Amino acid sequence: MLRFLAAVALGVAPLVDTTTLTCPDYGAIRDESVDANKFEITEFAGRWFMIASNEPTLPSFCLCGVNDVTVVIDAATPYYTYTNTDMCMGTLNISLPIKGVLSDDPLAPGLLMENVDVHNRTMGSLDPNMIFHVTRDESGTIAVAFTYACLGKIGLKERFSFNVLARSGSYSTDEIEAMVQAVNASAAGPLMDMDSLVYNDAGAYEQCGYL
């Protein structure tokens, strides 16, 4: 999902052994919460706090991830962009621009394709980034979105990125863990790499100056 340059990241971030996993079909991991009659991709726009992630190219010393997403549906080719910003080594904000295309399947609005955006051009082929589950608050607004990205080969192995994105960064570690365990216990759980997750709880976001 967050494609930090692999040549740099492979040297500083531990990578999960995913030799037994393949990129799952979107239909195998998505649930009814992202059906077209319940979920609109425009709801993905705005700020998201990356409260859990095992993004393999994200250095372990970078925390407090925040994604600021823009969705453009009225272009000739509908697309979305976002900037991922992380606090690295406690003082350095590092930002990475991402750009992708929206789903061309009207029944699967959460099936996205993306890669790093350099000068308004994506680098390499577009990789799947799948919004497979969302939860809503009492008002009906999406509170948490769960995504899974297939990054292709980085080094010699296929890599994947499981992410929990929330509208608020005020969750406790226990609350985040409960969300992850619920997904892990679902039918989709065995199909996804959910190892080596890093949690960003309310304390982390407060320390990074977001709360």
Side-chain angles (χ1 to χ4, degrees), residues 110-199:
L111 179 56
L112 310 176
M113 302 288 290
E114 66 178 40
N115 212 318
V116 175
D117 180 29
V118 178
H119 303 303
N120 205 34
R121 299 184 68 176
T122 52
M123 298 286 289
S125 61
L126 299 181
D127 299 323
N129 183 27
M130 300 171 276
I131 306 171
F132 66 89
H133 175 61
V134 300
T135 62
R136 297 178 181 272
D137 61 22
E138 294 180 355
S139 72
T141 300
I142 294 176
V144 182
F146 298 77
T147 70
Y148 192 68
C150 302
L151 309 184
K153 281 191 175 182
I154 299 177
L156 299 177
K157 298 179 181 180
E158 297 290 328
R159 303 296 179 185
F160 309 94
S161 181
F162 176 92
N163 299 275
V164 183
L165 307 175
R167 287 301 192 188
S168 167
S170 61
Y171 290 92
S172 68
T173 297
D174 287 346
E175 289 172 323
I176 300 169
E177 176 69 18
M179 296 181 203
V180 170
Q181 288 305 319
V183 173
N184 192 40
S186 71
L191 302 177
M192 298 186 290
D193 173 17
M194 298 175 62
D195 292 338
S196 303
L197 283 168
V198 174
Y199 296 162

Side-chain angles (χ1 to χ4, degrees), residues 11 17 21 89 91 120 158 204 210:
D17 183 1
L21 292 175
M89 295 181 289
T91 57
N120 205 34
E158 297 290 328
Y210 286 103

